[in-house]
Amino acid sequence: MSFHLRSLLDEIKGELAFKYIAIARSLMDKGYDVISFGAGQPDIPTPDHIIEAAKASLDRRFTGYTETAGILKLREAIADYLNERYGASVSPDEIIVTTGAKTAIFVAIASYINPGDEVIVIDPSYPAYSEAAKLLGGIPKYLTLKFDKLKGFEIDLEKLESMITKRTKIIAFNNPHNPTGAVFPPRVVDELMRIAEKHNLIILSDEIYDNFIYDNAPFKSVSQISGWKDRAILINGFSKTFSMTGWRLGYIVARRDVIEKMIRVAVNVYSCATSFAQEAAITALKGDWTPSRKMIELFRRRRDVVYEELSKVEGFEVWKPLGAFYIYPKVSMLLKKINMTVEEFVDYLIDKQRVIVLPGTAFSEISGGDYIRLSYSISEERIREGVKRIREAINELLNRAS
Ligand code: PLP
């Protein structure tokens, strides 16, 4: 009975990364040697001690519903983490544990958006902010990042301020940034908060990659700014730092009165996050961080390799990312020469070389046609082999075009 479905659903983008993960899997099942730069998740399994904690929790039969906000011990552990690391002044009653950061984004946006309200979204961006806003009757407004091969991706704060209207309610900000790998400097975070204060807006700050920061790039959490809870909502989670994507655990931090209201949304959407996953998450935060630290160092080395290799590719403009585990080359010069759209180029790489990268259009309504995203969540050897295949494909295409 599709005629009863909301027509709006036709305008909602699925997360293309999941489509390409499915393509990779089906090609692998057919026996192809696929190199996938598509996945937005660490390739390293969840550390053993966290898995053991979940098993122990199951053995104790901790399998029922929990409070919607999440078990107190986990909220205490989250508060301790944020307070020790950022001096965030957070108490457990200012936290809701969610089924992943993605649910946190949805709950947060659902708690603020009236039909017609505008949400300023960075372009390119992780798609959940704009799509949640649309689903809830809001209107995303895209602020395209400036790109320079040497300076990287930058937010044009003047342009941002000029986009604010009476309907603007939220600025959705993600730092370190998916898909560009940018770590926006502390000055930008301060300025965003100042702009939010001046125009009475909310900053939704998704800091899920806050442990994936390289070369000591200066990073500032919104939670380091005094009085931040009057202006910002912090989103974070366990998926990336502890390689727990399938466990579905994230969290929202906000002022207590805001959290009390958000719980009304949360209880109607998911009741609570998985009980034994929550117990294991306490061990993640309070236990040994060595496996996470090692994983992040591994990603730093891979970042160096992927940057070095992609820099040699004809027609690619590449900036060395400082955070997360993505690199976002500008490929518009190449696309012009080979007369292809970015999607055609991505399909060609799959068909001819069994290499999966994501088109920038998966992350951007505006500038995405000029970029591709690669996740370097594969071994250095596979990164080198994958980029070699990309180079071979490009040579073929350039030969064909000349
Ligand atoms: N926020 C950003 C910026 C992400 O890149 C992702 C996942 O790729 C998420 C949130 C979602 O994380 P989770 O697995 O906790 O839902």
Side-chain angles (χ1 to χ4, degrees), residues 15 17-18 39-41 98-105 125-129 173-179 206-209 235-240 244-246 248-251 324-326 363 373:
E15 203 184 315
F18 285 93
Q41 62 181 343
T98 57
T99 48
K102 200 178 241 176
T103 309
I105 293 166
S125 194
Y126 181 63
Y129 322 110
F173 178 60
N174 164 223
N175 191 25
H177 186 241
N178 176 11
D206 176 351
E207 301 180 8
I208 195 160
Y209 296 101
I235 288 182
N236 205 327
F238 295 82
S239 285
K240 317 288 173 172
M244 291 173 72
T245 49
R248 310 310 303 130
L249 277 179
Y251 54 89
F325 38 80
Y326 310 109
F363 306 94
R373 189 195 81 171

mmCIF file of all heavy atoms in Angstrom, residues 15 17-18 39-41 98-105 125-129 173-179 206-209 235-240 244-246 248-251 324-326 363 373, ligand 1:
data_model
loop_
_atom_site.group_PDB
_atom_site.id
_atom_site.type_symbol
_atom_site.label_atom_id
_atom_site.label_comp_id
_atom_site.label_asym_id
_atom_site.label_seq_id
_atom_site.Cartn_x
_atom_site.Cartn_y
_atom_site.Cartn_z
ATOM 1 N N GLU A 15 21.530 5.955 3.752
ATOM 2 C CA GLU A 15 22.969 6.178 3.907
ATOM 3 C C GLU A 15 23.674 5.304 2.881
ATOM 4 O O GLU A 15 23.673 4.080 2.982
ATOM 5 C CB GLU A 15 23.412 5.856 5.338
ATOM 6 C CG GLU A 15 24.696 6.586 5.654
ATOM 7 C CD GLU A 15 25.250 6.243 7.025
ATOM 8 O OE1 GLU A 15 24.488 6.206 8.001
ATOM 9 O OE2 GLU A 15 26.453 6.006 7.091
ATOM 10 N N ALA A 17 26.603 4.567 2.254
ATOM 11 C CA ALA A 17 27.673 3.672 2.707
ATOM 12 C C ALA A 17 27.124 2.254 2.866
ATOM 13 O O ALA A 17 27.768 1.281 2.503
ATOM 14 C CB ALA A 17 28.247 4.171 4.022
ATOM 15 N N PHE A 18 25.882 2.148 3.370
ATOM 16 C CA PHE A 18 25.314 0.821 3.591
ATOM 17 C C PHE A 18 25.043 0.106 2.261
ATOM 18 O O PHE A 18 25.189 -1.099 2.162
ATOM 19 C CB PHE A 18 24.040 0.917 4.446
ATOM 20 C CG PHE A 18 24.359 1.173 5.901
ATOM 21 C CD1 PHE A 18 24.398 2.461 6.408
ATOM 22 C CD2 PHE A 18 24.657 0.125 6.754
ATOM 23 C CE1 PHE A 18 24.718 2.706 7.740
ATOM 24 C CE2 PHE A 18 24.981 0.348 8.089
ATOM 25 C CZ PHE A 18 25.012 1.644 8.580
ATOM 26 N N ALA A 39 33.720 1.292 4.263
ATOM 27 C CA ALA A 39 33.138 1.112 5.602
ATOM 28 C C ALA A 39 33.464 2.248 6.562
ATOM 29 O O ALA A 39 34.618 2.651 6.683
ATOM 30 C CB ALA A 39 33.631 -0.193 6.190
ATOM 31 N N GLY A 40 32.441 2.715 7.266
ATOM 32 C CA GLY A 40 32.653 3.737 8.290
ATOM 33 C C GLY A 40 32.842 3.117 9.656
ATOM 34 O O GLY A 40 32.309 3.616 10.643
ATOM 35 N N GLN A 41 33.577 2.001 9.695
ATOM 36 C CA GLN A 41 33.788 1.372 10.999
ATOM 37 C C GLN A 41 35.176 0.753 11.054
ATOM 38 O O GLN A 41 35.717 0.321 10.031
ATOM 39 C CB GLN A 41 32.729 0.315 11.265
ATOM 40 C CG GLN A 41 32.720 -0.837 10.290
ATOM 41 C CD GLN A 41 31.618 -1.839 10.608
ATOM 42 O OE1 GLN A 41 31.062 -1.852 11.707
ATOM 43 N NE2 GLN A 41 31.309 -2.697 9.645
ATOM 44 N N THR A 98 21.818 6.113 24.281
ATOM 45 C CA THR A 98 20.957 5.855 23.116
ATOM 46 C C THR A 98 21.442 4.615 22.359
ATOM 47 O O THR A 98 22.548 4.131 22.612
ATOM 48 C CB THR A 98 20.997 7.059 22.149
ATOM 49 O OG1 THR A 98 22.365 7.290 21.786
ATOM 50 C CG2 THR A 98 20.426 8.313 22.789
ATOM 51 N N THR A 99 20.624 4.166 21.428
ATOM 52 C CA THR A 99 21.038 3.024 20.593
ATOM 53 C C THR A 99 21.890 3.554 19.436
ATOM 54 O O THR A 99 21.463 3.608 18.297
ATOM 55 C CB THR A 99 19.799 2.280 20.054
ATOM 56 O OG1 THR A 99 18.902 3.262 19.518
ATOM 57 C CG2 THR A 99 19.083 1.521 21.136
ATOM 58 N N GLY A 100 23.101 3.969 19.764
ATOM 59 C CA GLY A 100 24.019 4.545 18.778
ATOM 60 C C GLY A 100 23.907 6.053 18.735
ATOM 61 O O GLY A 100 22.883 6.645 19.132
ATOM 62 N N ALA A 101 24.979 6.678 18.248
ATOM 63 C CA ALA A 101 24.972 8.138 18.112
ATOM 64 C C ALA A 101 23.914 8.576 17.109
ATOM 65 O O ALA A 101 23.377 9.676 17.187
ATOM 66 C CB ALA A 101 26.352 8.626 17.688
ATOM 67 N N LYS A 102 23.609 7.686 16.176
ATOM 68 C CA LYS A 102 22.605 8.054 15.168
ATOM 69 C C LYS A 102 21.243 8.280 15.820
ATOM 70 O O LYS A 102 20.548 9.246 15.497
ATOM 71 C CB LYS A 102 22.517 6.960 14.115
ATOM 72 C CG LYS A 102 21.902 7.441 12.835
ATOM 73 C CD LYS A 102 21.873 6.344 11.824
ATOM 74 C CE LYS A 102 22.679 6.697 10.616
ATOM 75 N NZ LYS A 102 22.738 5.610 9.644
ATOM 76 N N THR A 103 20.873 7.409 16.744
ATOM 77 C CA THR A 103 19.616 7.612 17.473
ATOM 78 C C THR A 103 19.704 8.880 18.313
ATOM 79 O O THR A 103 18.717 9.610 18.469
ATOM 80 C CB THR A 103 19.312 6.401 18.370
ATOM 81 O OG1 THR A 103 19.400 5.222 17.582
ATOM 82 C CG2 THR A 103 17.936 6.487 18.986
ATOM 83 N N ALA A 104 20.890 9.139 18.844
ATOM 84 C CA ALA A 104 21.072 10.364 19.637
ATOM 85 C C ALA A 104 20.778 11.594 18.764
ATOM 86 O O ALA A 104 20.106 12.543 19.205
ATOM 87 C CB ALA A 104 22.504 10.423 20.174
ATOM 88 N N ILE A 105 21.251 11.558 17.534
ATOM 89 C CA ILE A 105 21.014 12.682 16.615
ATOM 90 C C ILE A 105 19.509 12.844 16.382
ATOM 91 O O ILE A 105 18.955 13.943 16.437
ATOM 92 C CB ILE A 105 21.754 12.437 15.267
ATOM 93 C CG1 ILE A 105 23.273 12.470 15.484
ATOM 94 C CG2 ILE A 105 21.316 13.443 14.196
ATOM 95 C CD1 ILE A 105 24.089 11.905 14.317
ATOM 96 N N SER A 125 28.627 16.368 4.764
ATOM 97 C CA SER A 125 28.348 16.013 6.140
ATOM 98 C C SER A 125 27.863 14.570 6.240
ATOM 99 O O SER A 125 27.304 14.041 5.281
ATOM 100 C CB SER A 125 27.240 16.939 6.626
ATOM 101 O OG SER A 125 27.124 16.898 7.991
ATOM 102 N N TYR A 126 28.073 13.998 7.408
ATOM 103 C CA TYR A 126 27.380 12.746 7.736
ATOM 104 C C TYR A 126 25.879 13.024 7.533
ATOM 105 O O TYR A 126 25.373 14.040 8.012
ATOM 106 C CB TYR A 126 27.696 12.408 9.194
ATOM 107 C CG TYR A 126 27.078 11.146 9.700
ATOM 108 C CD1 TYR A 126 27.421 9.912 9.145
ATOM 109 C CD2 TYR A 126 26.163 11.174 10.742
ATOM 110 C CE1 TYR A 126 26.854 8.751 9.627
ATOM 111 C CE2 TYR A 126 25.597 10.009 11.227
ATOM 112 C CZ TYR A 126 25.945 8.805 10.662
ATOM 113 O OH TYR A 126 25.383 7.652 11.143
ATOM 114 N N PRO A 127 25.163 12.160 6.790
ATOM 115 C CA PRO A 127 23.812 12.549 6.342
ATOM 116 C C PRO A 127 22.716 12.600 7.404
ATOM 117 O O PRO A 127 21.658 13.187 7.157
ATOM 118 C CB PRO A 127 23.462 11.484 5.294
ATOM 119 C CG PRO A 127 24.557 10.506 5.259
ATOM 120 C CD PRO A 127 25.628 10.891 6.210
ATOM 121 N N ALA A 128 22.946 12.017 8.577
ATOM 122 C CA ALA A 128 21.829 11.847 9.528
ATOM 123 C C ALA A 128 21.200 13.172 9.981
ATOM 124 O O ALA A 128 20.004 13.222 10.252
ATOM 125 C CB ALA A 128 22.284 11.049 10.746
ATOM 126 N N TYR A 129 21.998 14.246 10.052
ATOM 127 C CA TYR A 129 21.436 15.504 10.577
ATOM 128 C C TYR A 129 20.380 16.065 9.618
ATOM 129 O O TYR A 129 19.268 16.416 10.029
ATOM 130 C CB TYR A 129 22.526 16.575 10.779
ATOM 131 C CG TYR A 129 23.830 16.029 11.300
ATOM 132 C CD1 TYR A 129 24.961 15.985 10.495
ATOM 133 C CD2 TYR A 129 23.925 15.536 12.592
ATOM 134 C CE1 TYR A 129 26.160 15.457 10.950
ATOM 135 C CE2 TYR A 129 25.115 15.005 13.057
ATOM 136 C CZ TYR A 129 26.230 14.961 12.231
ATOM 137 O OH TYR A 129 27.406 14.434 12.683
ATOM 138 N N PHE A 173 26.910 20.323 13.885
ATOM 139 C CA PHE A 173 28.360 20.440 13.753
ATOM 140 C C PHE A 173 28.970 19.087 14.108
ATOM 141 O O PHE A 173 28.522 18.440 15.061
ATOM 142 C CB PHE A 173 28.816 21.534 14.736
ATOM 143 C CG PHE A 173 30.290 21.775 14.794
ATOM 144 C CD1 PHE A 173 30.991 22.171 13.668
ATOM 145 C CD2 PHE A 173 30.987 21.644 15.995
ATOM 146 C CE1 PHE A 173 32.351 22.427 13.730
ATOM 147 C CE2 PHE A 173 32.346 21.901 16.076
ATOM 148 C CZ PHE A 173 33.028 22.298 14.936
ATOM 149 N N ASN A 174 29.947 18.661 13.349
ATOM 150 C CA ASN A 174 30.603 17.373 13.616
ATOM 151 C C ASN A 174 32.114 17.581 13.576
ATOM 152 O O ASN A 174 32.652 18.049 12.596
ATOM 153 C CB ASN A 174 30.136 16.361 12.548
ATOM 154 C CG ASN A 174 31.000 15.121 12.471
ATOM 155 O OD1 ASN A 174 31.325 14.646 11.383
ATOM 156 N ND2 ASN A 174 31.374 14.591 13.597
ATOM 157 N N ASN A 175 32.763 17.243 14.684
ATOM 158 C CA ASN A 175 34.191 17.517 14.830
ATOM 159 C C ASN A 175 34.823 16.458 15.713
ATOM 160 O O ASN A 175 34.329 16.253 16.828
ATOM 161 C CB ASN A 175 34.349 18.907 15.491
ATOM 162 C CG ASN A 175 35.754 19.432 15.457
ATOM 163 O OD1 ASN A 175 36.553 19.058 14.595
ATOM 164 N ND2 ASN A 175 36.076 20.313 16.389
ATOM 165 N N PRO A 176 35.906 15.747 15.262
ATOM 166 C CA PRO A 176 36.470 15.648 13.927
ATOM 167 C C PRO A 176 35.410 15.218 12.900
ATOM 168 O O PRO A 176 34.441 14.567 13.255
ATOM 169 C CB PRO A 176 37.556 14.580 14.079
ATOM 170 C CG PRO A 176 37.934 14.605 15.515
ATOM 171 C CD PRO A 176 36.683 14.944 16.250
ATOM 172 N N HIS A 177 35.697 15.576 11.662
ATOM 173 C CA HIS A 177 34.624 15.610 10.678
ATOM 174 C C HIS A 177 34.622 14.431 9.696
ATOM 175 O O HIS A 177 35.640 14.133 9.068
ATOM 176 C CB HIS A 177 34.758 16.937 9.900
ATOM 177 C CG HIS A 177 33.655 17.201 8.940
ATOM 178 N ND1 HIS A 177 33.864 17.346 7.589
ATOM 179 C CD2 HIS A 177 32.320 17.337 9.130
ATOM 180 C CE1 HIS A 177 32.710 17.589 6.992
ATOM 181 N NE2 HIS A 177 31.763 17.578 7.905
ATOM 182 N N ASN A 178 33.460 13.817 9.596
ATOM 183 C CA ASN A 178 33.171 12.841 8.557
ATOM 184 C C ASN A 178 32.394 13.587 7.475
ATOM 185 O O ASN A 178 31.385 14.210 7.806
ATOM 186 C CB ASN A 178 32.308 11.710 9.154
ATOM 187 C CG ASN A 178 31.857 10.691 8.136
ATOM 188 O OD1 ASN A 178 32.329 10.686 7.011
ATOM 189 N ND2 ASN A 178 30.938 9.818 8.553
ATOM 190 N N PRO A 179 32.769 13.613 6.216
ATOM 191 C CA PRO A 179 33.741 12.742 5.545
ATOM 192 C C PRO A 179 35.125 13.345 5.296
ATOM 193 O O PRO A 179 35.960 12.660 4.698
ATOM 194 C CB PRO A 179 33.067 12.518 4.187
ATOM 195 C CG PRO A 179 32.445 13.854 3.881
ATOM 196 C CD PRO A 179 31.972 14.368 5.226
ATOM 197 N N ASP A 206 28.482 16.804 17.333
ATOM 198 C CA ASP A 206 28.707 15.359 17.254
ATOM 199 C C ASP A 206 30.213 15.132 17.281
ATOM 200 O O ASP A 206 30.915 15.434 16.319
ATOM 201 C CB ASP A 206 28.070 14.854 15.952
ATOM 202 C CG ASP A 206 28.307 13.371 15.704
ATOM 203 O OD1 ASP A 206 29.105 12.744 16.428
ATOM 204 O OD2 ASP A 206 27.687 12.841 14.755
ATOM 205 N N GLU A 207 30.690 14.589 18.409
ATOM 206 C CA GLU A 207 32.132 14.448 18.602
ATOM 207 C C GLU A 207 32.532 12.974 18.670
ATOM 208 O O GLU A 207 33.432 12.582 19.406
ATOM 209 C CB GLU A 207 32.546 15.237 19.861
ATOM 210 C CG GLU A 207 32.178 16.707 19.734
ATOM 211 C CD GLU A 207 32.541 17.575 20.939
ATOM 212 O OE1 GLU A 207 33.230 17.110 21.863
ATOM 213 O OE2 GLU A 207 32.102 18.755 20.950
ATOM 214 N N ILE A 208 31.874 12.161 17.857
ATOM 215 C CA ILE A 208 32.077 10.713 17.950
ATOM 216 C C ILE A 208 33.498 10.277 17.582
ATOM 217 O O ILE A 208 33.946 9.207 17.977
ATOM 218 C CB ILE A 208 31.007 9.953 17.125
ATOM 219 C CG1 ILE A 208 30.992 8.476 17.521
ATOM 220 C CG2 ILE A 208 31.206 10.109 15.639
ATOM 221 C CD1 ILE A 208 29.739 7.739 17.163
ATOM 222 N N TYR A 209 34.219 11.111 16.837
ATOM 223 C CA TYR A 209 35.611 10.764 16.496
ATOM 224 C C TYR A 209 36.616 11.480 17.403
ATOM 225 O O TYR A 209 37.754 11.704 17.014
ATOM 226 C CB TYR A 209 35.893 11.121 15.023
ATOM 227 C CG TYR A 209 35.048 10.325 14.054
ATOM 228 C CD1 TYR A 209 33.919 10.881 13.454
ATOM 229 C CD2 TYR A 209 35.359 9.002 13.741
ATOM 230 C CE1 TYR A 209 33.123 10.142 12.586
ATOM 231 C CE2 TYR A 209 34.576 8.263 12.870
ATOM 232 C CZ TYR A 209 33.458 8.836 12.297
ATOM 233 O OH TYR A 209 32.683 8.096 11.432
ATOM 234 N N ILE A 235 26.949 15.080 21.425
ATOM 235 C CA ILE A 235 26.660 13.707 21.016
ATOM 236 C C ILE A 235 27.973 12.948 20.899
ATOM 237 O O ILE A 235 28.960 13.488 20.380
ATOM 238 C CB ILE A 235 25.883 13.708 19.689
ATOM 239 C CG1 ILE A 235 24.476 14.202 20.013
ATOM 240 C CG2 ILE A 235 25.876 12.333 19.030
ATOM 241 C CD1 ILE A 235 23.525 14.246 18.909
ATOM 242 N N ASN A 236 27.985 11.736 21.421
ATOM 243 C CA ASN A 236 29.176 10.907 21.299
ATOM 244 C C ASN A 236 28.721 9.450 21.373
ATOM 245 O O ASN A 236 27.507 9.188 21.452
ATOM 246 C CB ASN A 236 30.183 11.259 22.405
ATOM 247 C CG ASN A 236 31.616 10.923 22.005
ATOM 248 O OD1 ASN A 236 31.860 9.955 21.285
ATOM 249 N ND2 ASN A 236 32.561 11.721 22.464
ATOM 250 N N GLY A 237 29.656 8.525 21.345
ATOM 251 C CA GLY A 237 29.248 7.125 21.385
ATOM 252 C C GLY A 237 30.428 6.187 21.442
ATOM 253 O O GLY A 237 31.577 6.629 21.515
ATOM 254 N N PHE A 238 30.116 4.910 21.398
ATOM 255 C CA PHE A 238 31.130 3.863 21.600
ATOM 256 C C PHE A 238 31.566 3.203 20.300
ATOM 257 O O PHE A 238 32.528 2.447 20.281
ATOM 258 C CB PHE A 238 30.569 2.807 22.568
ATOM 259 C CG PHE A 238 30.339 3.367 23.942
ATOM 260 C CD1 PHE A 238 29.184 4.086 24.222
ATOM 261 C CD2 PHE A 238 31.290 3.219 24.933
ATOM 262 C CE1 PHE A 238 28.978 4.647 25.473
ATOM 263 C CE2 PHE A 238 31.097 3.763 26.193
ATOM 264 C CZ PHE A 238 29.933 4.483 26.462
ATOM 265 N N SER A 239 30.844 3.493 19.198
ATOM 266 C CA SER A 239 31.062 2.757 17.951
ATOM 267 C C SER A 239 32.496 2.832 17.442
ATOM 268 O O SER A 239 33.042 1.831 16.989
ATOM 269 C CB SER A 239 30.146 3.320 16.852
ATOM 270 O OG SER A 239 28.834 2.893 17.057
ATOM 271 N N LYS A 240 33.059 4.017 17.497
ATOM 272 C CA LYS A 240 34.356 4.208 16.824
ATOM 273 C C LYS A 240 35.508 3.970 17.796
ATOM 274 O O LYS A 240 36.381 3.151 17.526
ATOM 275 C CB LYS A 240 34.437 5.619 16.222
ATOM 276 C CG LYS A 240 33.171 6.088 15.508
ATOM 277 C CD LYS A 240 32.898 5.406 14.185
ATOM 278 C CE LYS A 240 31.534 5.821 13.645
ATOM 279 N NZ LYS A 240 31.243 5.371 12.308
ATOM 280 N N MET A 244 32.774 -0.599 18.443
ATOM 281 C CA MET A 244 31.542 -1.259 18.918
ATOM 282 C C MET A 244 30.341 -0.863 18.045
ATOM 283 O O MET A 244 29.237 -0.672 18.549
ATOM 284 C CB MET A 244 31.285 -0.869 20.389
ATOM 285 C CG MET A 244 32.308 -1.463 21.341
ATOM 286 S SD MET A 244 32.152 -0.855 23.045
ATOM 287 C CE MET A 244 30.653 -1.657 23.607
ATOM 288 N N THR A 245 30.548 -0.783 16.744
ATOM 289 C CA THR A 245 29.468 -0.293 15.875
ATOM 290 C C THR A 245 28.184 -1.131 15.995
ATOM 291 O O THR A 245 27.090 -0.577 16.044
ATOM 292 C CB THR A 245 29.906 -0.253 14.398
ATOM 293 O OG1 THR A 245 30.488 -1.507 14.068
ATOM 294 C CG2 THR A 245 30.897 0.846 14.144
ATOM 295 N N GLY A 246 28.338 -2.452 16.042
ATOM 296 C CA GLY A 246 27.152 -3.306 16.073
ATOM 297 C C GLY A 246 26.466 -3.370 17.436
ATOM 298 O O GLY A 246 25.380 -3.935 17.557
ATOM 299 N N ARG A 248 25.461 -0.829 19.126
ATOM 300 C CA ARG A 248 24.495 0.267 19.108
ATOM 301 C C ARG A 248 24.429 1.003 20.450
ATOM 302 O O ARG A 248 23.468 0.881 21.217
ATOM 303 C CB ARG A 248 23.082 -0.210 18.678
ATOM 304 C CG ARG A 248 23.022 -1.048 17.414
ATOM 305 C CD ARG A 248 23.760 -0.434 16.227
ATOM 306 N NE ARG A 248 23.277 0.890 15.892
ATOM 307 C CZ ARG A 248 24.099 1.938 15.727
ATOM 308 N NH1 ARG A 248 25.403 1.836 15.860
ATOM 309 N NH2 ARG A 248 23.602 3.106 15.422
ATOM 310 N N LEU A 249 25.458 1.784 20.701
ATOM 311 C CA LEU A 249 25.513 2.569 21.936
ATOM 312 C C LEU A 249 26.070 3.963 21.674
ATOM 313 O O LEU A 249 27.193 4.100 21.170
ATOM 314 C CB LEU A 249 26.446 1.897 22.952
ATOM 315 C CG LEU A 249 25.895 0.767 23.796
ATOM 316 C CD1 LEU A 249 27.001 0.245 24.695
ATOM 317 C CD2 LEU A 249 24.703 1.208 24.638
ATOM 318 N N GLY A 250 25.275 4.939 21.998
ATOM 319 C CA GLY A 250 25.743 6.316 21.912
ATOM 320 C C GLY A 250 25.162 7.086 23.085
ATOM 321 O O GLY A 250 24.521 6.499 23.963
ATOM 322 N N TYR A 251 25.388 8.392 23.098
ATOM 323 C CA TYR A 251 24.774 9.167 24.176
ATOM 324 C C TYR A 251 24.615 10.636 23.815
ATOM 325 O O TYR A 251 25.295 11.158 22.921
ATOM 326 C CB TYR A 251 25.528 9.016 25.504
ATOM 327 C CG TYR A 251 27.015 9.310 25.491
ATOM 328 C CD1 TYR A 251 27.494 10.588 25.725
ATOM 329 C CD2 TYR A 251 27.934 8.293 25.272
ATOM 330 C CE1 TYR A 251 28.864 10.848 25.752
ATOM 331 C CE2 TYR A 251 29.305 8.546 25.286
ATOM 332 C CZ TYR A 251 29.763 9.823 25.537
ATOM 333 O OH TYR A 251 31.105 10.085 25.554
ATOM 334 N N ALA A 324 39.383 11.506 12.429
ATOM 335 C CA ALA A 324 38.490 10.432 11.976
ATOM 336 C C ALA A 324 39.292 9.380 11.185
ATOM 337 O O ALA A 324 40.514 9.266 11.390
ATOM 338 C CB ALA A 324 37.313 10.991 11.183
ATOM 339 N N PHE A 325 38.661 8.617 10.296
ATOM 340 C CA PHE A 325 39.482 7.705 9.478
ATOM 341 C C PHE A 325 39.040 7.733 8.014
ATOM 342 O O PHE A 325 38.887 6.710 7.369
ATOM 343 C CB PHE A 325 39.534 6.281 10.051
ATOM 344 C CG PHE A 325 38.263 5.755 10.647
ATOM 345 C CD1 PHE A 325 37.260 5.254 9.848
ATOM 346 C CD2 PHE A 325 38.091 5.740 12.037
ATOM 347 C CE1 PHE A 325 36.100 4.753 10.404
ATOM 348 C CE2 PHE A 325 36.930 5.237 12.604
ATOM 349 C CZ PHE A 325 35.926 4.744 11.786
ATOM 350 N N TYR A 326 38.849 8.969 7.548
ATOM 351 C CA TYR A 326 38.425 9.183 6.164
ATOM 352 C C TYR A 326 39.356 10.177 5.483
ATOM 353 O O TYR A 326 39.936 11.049 6.131
ATOM 354 C CB TYR A 326 37.006 9.755 6.126
ATOM 355 C CG TYR A 326 36.045 8.974 6.972
ATOM 356 C CD1 TYR A 326 35.531 9.495 8.164
ATOM 357 C CD2 TYR A 326 35.665 7.685 6.597
ATOM 358 C CE1 TYR A 326 34.666 8.759 8.963
ATOM 359 C CE2 TYR A 326 34.791 6.941 7.396
ATOM 360 C CZ TYR A 326 34.303 7.488 8.568
ATOM 361 O OH TYR A 326 33.452 6.757 9.355
ATOM 362 N N PHE A 363 27.357 12.425 0.759
ATOM 363 C CA PHE A 363 27.517 13.301 1.925
ATOM 364 C C PHE A 363 27.152 14.751 1.643
ATOM 365 O O PHE A 363 27.301 15.603 2.510
ATOM 366 C CB PHE A 363 28.981 13.265 2.413
ATOM 367 C CG PHE A 363 29.455 11.874 2.685
ATOM 368 C CD1 PHE A 363 30.126 11.146 1.704
ATOM 369 C CD2 PHE A 363 29.187 11.259 3.892
ATOM 370 C CE1 PHE A 363 30.531 9.845 1.942
ATOM 371 C CE2 PHE A 363 29.589 9.964 4.141
ATOM 372 C CZ PHE A 363 30.269 9.255 3.154
ATOM 373 N N ARG A 373 34.981 9.732 -1.114
ATOM 374 C CA ARG A 373 35.467 9.471 0.247
ATOM 375 C C ARG A 373 36.040 8.073 0.332
ATOM 376 O O ARG A 373 35.431 7.112 -0.145
ATOM 377 C CB ARG A 373 34.343 9.594 1.280
ATOM 378 C CG ARG A 373 34.902 9.535 2.708
ATOM 379 C CD ARG A 373 33.838 9.280 3.756
ATOM 380 N NE ARG A 373 33.485 7.867 3.858
ATOM 381 C CZ ARG A 373 32.712 7.352 4.809
ATOM 382 N NH1 ARG A 373 32.193 8.137 5.737
ATOM 383 N NH2 ARG A 373 32.434 6.050 4.822
HETATM 384 N N1 PLP B 1 28.124 10.559 13.716
HETATM 385 C C1 PLP B 1 29.050 10.479 12.758
HETATM 386 C C2 PLP B 1 29.762 11.716 12.352
HETATM 387 C C3 PLP B 1 29.361 9.263 12.155
HETATM 388 O O1 PLP B 1 30.290 9.202 11.197
HETATM 389 C C4 PLP B 1 28.659 8.107 12.553
HETATM 390 C C5 PLP B 1 28.910 6.808 11.917
HETATM 391 O O2 PLP B 1 29.506 6.683 10.877
HETATM 392 C C6 PLP B 1 27.685 8.253 13.548
HETATM 393 C C7 PLP B 1 27.447 9.478 14.109
HETATM 394 C C8 PLP B 1 26.836 7.083 13.985
HETATM 395 O O3 PLP B 1 27.433 6.337 14.956
HETATM 396 P P1 PLP B 1 26.651 5.181 15.704
HETATM 397 O O4 PLP B 1 27.205 3.886 15.183
HETATM 398 O O5 PLP B 1 26.997 5.382 17.146
HETATM 399 O O6 PLP B 1 25.209 5.319 15.439
#
